[in-house]
Amino acid sequence: FILIMIYNCNIICKKTKGVFVMHSEFYYDYPEYYGYSTAGDSILGFIAGFVATMWLFGIACLVIQIIGQWKTYKKAGLDGWEALVPGHNVFVKFQLAGIHTAFFFLLCVPIANIFIDFWLNIEFAKKFGRSTGFGIGLTILPVIFYPILGFGKSEYLGTKTGKVTANSVKTEENKGEEK
């Protein structure tokens, strides 16, 4: 729709006196001089506003996801900064999920990376006592599911190496022995 409007208005960008001025075939003078603008100005303003809004929304989602990952890694007994380092955070996630880290390199293989990502998040969710559906949610909507995992009541059931041991699982019998 936007492209059709621009085409219909025949917007031409001409260089006049060192600045780019929008002109239409209907107005041969500066539209700003007469106090009105062309349809192209309105469209470009809409596009700029839309892009800026989406950019801010994306940054907000990224910040929420990073905070959720930070809290999740802290629950697993790691430093929160490890969630911030690209590549390293995924490598550590493989360790926490109990998956051999050699599978990390399969994330570079097209199509295989999709299956590995789903598998990794499902196993990661299971280490926090969550279901397979929650792991799928971690893959598809991490901005929602990481904060749930990080701020929720889930506890990490494995060790830093990803292996679940009898001492790492908190039960009613050994909750009092942690002091």
Side-chain angles (χ1 to χ4, degrees):
F1 177 73
I2 294 171
L3 293 176
I4 293 171
M5 297 242 344
I6 292 173
Y7 178 75
N8 287 339
C9 290
N10 293 323
I11 303 296
I12 302 168
C13 203
K14 293 183 177 180
K15 186 169 181 162
T16 310
K17 297 181 185 176
V19 275
F20 283 96
V21 180
M22 286 291 203
H23 280 282
S24 169
E25 68 179 354
F26 304 115
Y27 309 111
Y28 293 100
D29 275 321
Y30 298 101
E32 298 82 21
Y33 178 76
Y34 297 110
Y36 54 84
S37 63
T38 64
D41 294 337
S42 299
I43 293 168
L44 291 175
F46 170 76
I47 291 172
F50 182 77
V51 168
T53 303
M54 288 295 106
W55 186 78
L56 290 173
F57 180 73
I59 294 295
C61 287
L62 181 66
V63 167
I64 291 169
Q65 181 179 339
I66 287 172
I67 292 170
Q69 280 182 318
W70 183 290
K71 293 291 284 182
T72 303
Y73 279 43
K74 291 291 275 184
K75 272 188 177 182
L78 300 173
D79 293 328
W81 65 265
E82 293 189 75
L84 300 177
V85 182
H88 175 72
N89 60 358
V90 179
F91 191 80
V92 169
K93 192 174 179 183
F94 271 98
Q95 292 174 337
L96 292 174
I99 299 173
H100 196 276
T101 52
F103 287 104
F104 172 77
F105 298 104
L106 283 177
L107 289 174
C108 298
V109 179
I111 309 298
N113 61 0
I114 296 169
F115 295 105
I116 296 295
D117 197 28
F118 273 98
W119 179 41
L120 171 64
N121 284 314
I122 289 169
E123 293 300 318
F124 188 69
K126 287 181 180 179
K127 291 294 181 176
F128 281 90
R130 296 297 188 135
S131 66
T132 301
F134 194 88
I136 292 170
L138 270 174
T139 306
I140 296 173
L141 290 170
V143 69
I144 294 172
F145 285 88
Y146 268 114
I148 291 172
L149 198 58
F151 291 101
K153 295 181 180 179
S154 300
E155 294 181 10
Y156 184 64
L157 303 176
T159 62
K160 283 188 181 181
T161 60
K163 296 178 181 172
V164 178
T165 62
N167 293 333
S168 65
V169 178
K170 294 184 180 179
T171 60
E172 294 299 323
E173 295 85 32
N174 65 5
K175 276 188 179 177
E177 302 173 8
E178 292 180 3
K179 299 178 182 181

